[in-house]
Amino acid sequence: MAVVAAVPAVAAAGLGLYWFQPWKLWVDEEVREELPAAAAAPASRQPSAAASSGAPTSPAPDPEPRTVADGELVTHEHRTTGTARVLRLADGSHVLRFEGLNTSNGPDLHVWLTDAPVIEGKAGWHVFDDGDHVSLGKLKGNKGDQNYPLPAGVDPADFSSVTIWCDRFDVSFGAAELTV
């Protein structure tokens, strides 16, 4: 009789451990990615026809990433700090960058650009899946500096915030309003 009762109890405990993954509260994953840079166009060895004819040439794109929007992360379900920046690279592509990120580790965490307002406190925990959002992928680590390329065709001007979203529990760990 005890064996019959133990089997469902062990199965329930295993399912609970899988679902909540409590060990992640004690395991940090730190990521230290460099500031992104777009590949530069190869330099030509021959002067261009425009340069040799004296015609004006267009200025070379800025090789350094340019910040187009940024904001400070606020705490939601878990204490979260750091900065989020949307960078425009020399090739015209965009990258979301977290700098000094510090949050809890958790199951099924993703980075989303959203059109939702950032509301501090418990009222802001669940607003990000109500409107438009685009996933930039799984959170690489719960600490450090990390880069998330925006998919081609995604205009960062269409989104006003970024969230670290837990898909498993439909809750924001933290978010930042992105201001120009």
Side-chain angles (χ1 to χ4, degrees), residues 93-105:
S93 65
H94 291 89
V95 170
L96 174 83
R97 178 169 172 82
F98 287 130
E99 293 177 336
L101 174 65
N102 187 357
T103 191
S104 295
N105 205 343

Side-chain angles (χ1 to χ4, degrees), residues 72-76 78 80-82 118-121 172-176:
E72 292 297 317
L73 289 159
V74 299
T75 296
H76 282 146
H78 293 267
T80 302
T81 59
V118 175
I119 303 168
E120 291 194 44
S172 172
F173 272 37

